[in-house]
Amino acid sequence: MGVRKRERAEQIKEAKKQVAFAKLNNCPTSPRKMRLVADLVRGEKVEKALQILKFSQKEASGRVEKLLLSAIANWQAKNEDANLEEAELFVKEIRVDGGSMLKRLRPAPQGRAHRIRKRSNHVTLVLGANNNTQS
């Protein structure tokens, strides 16, 4: 049984080499606004995704661009001998989850107060590689 476990562990290790991820926690943007930017790059090739984010007018696109560059650097650290252009990296998964909320009070008419919720989010970006297209 030790041989099978070792072979399976090697297969999992090879599969994980093709995937790299980066996380952005507690980003002070509402998740709804961040999802608009995330939907633009989901499933795109890395080069095209970088161009989309660079020329997007949204404020959140700068943060996602920086996160994408971080994920690319993580992939290069895992695969030092591989070429970035030949790997054909693409955005395999990008997920935006709600983070913690800062709750503030704003004065309202007639002595009342309204609660203001300053939202934040967590973004997880996963890159995948297409090495099968060469053969």
Side-chain angles (χ1 to χ4, degrees):
M1 187 154 137
V3 175
R4 257 187 290 156
K5 264 191 178 177
R6 195 176 319 114
E7 287 174 354
R8 182 68 182 139
E10 289 296 323
Q11 288 175 349
I12 291 171
K13 195 173 182 182
E14 281 300 315
K16 282 188 177 179
K17 250 190 168 182
Q18 301 302 321
V19 175
F21 75 98
K23 287 177 77 172
L24 174 63
N25 285 335
N26 296 318
C27 179
T29 310
S30 73
R32 186 175 179 178
K33 291 177 184 175
M34 187 64 85
R35 282 189 193 106
L36 290 173
V37 176
D39 291 341
L40 292 174
V41 297
R42 186 174 286 119
E44 297 287 347
K45 292 193 177 201
V46 168
E47 294 84 13
K48 188 175 179 186
L50 282 171
Q51 293 299 319
I52 290 170
L53 292 171
K54 186 175 183 180
F55 295 109
S56 175
Q57 296 290 317
K58 302 260 184 212
E59 187 224 339
S61 64
R63 293 183 173 128
V64 175
E65 181 183 8
K66 195 170 177 183
L67 183 68
L68 181 58
L69 290 172
S70 174
I72 293 169
N74 292 344
W75 185 87
Q76 285 177 328
K78 273 186 180 179
N79 303 288
E80 293 168 352
D81 55 336
N83 189 359
L84 188 63
E85 285 79 28
E86 292 175 4
E88 294 185 17
L89 291 178
F90 67 100
V91 180
K92 188 173 184 179
E93 178 185 348
I94 182 166
R95 192 170 60 246
V96 180
D97 302 318
S100 59
M101 269 188 268
L102 294 174
K103 293 177 180 164
R104 301 287 181 260
L105 292 176
R106 171 161 290 166
Q110 298 179 356
R112 291 190 301 252
H114 290 312
R115 182 171 284 167
I116 302 294
R117 292 185 300 272
K118 296 188 174 187
R119 299 173 188 271
S120 67
N121 63 57
H122 307 311
V123 185
T124 306
L125 194 142
V126 179
L127 294 181
N130 279 344
N131 285 345
N132 303 342
T133 56
Q134 297 172 16
S135 52

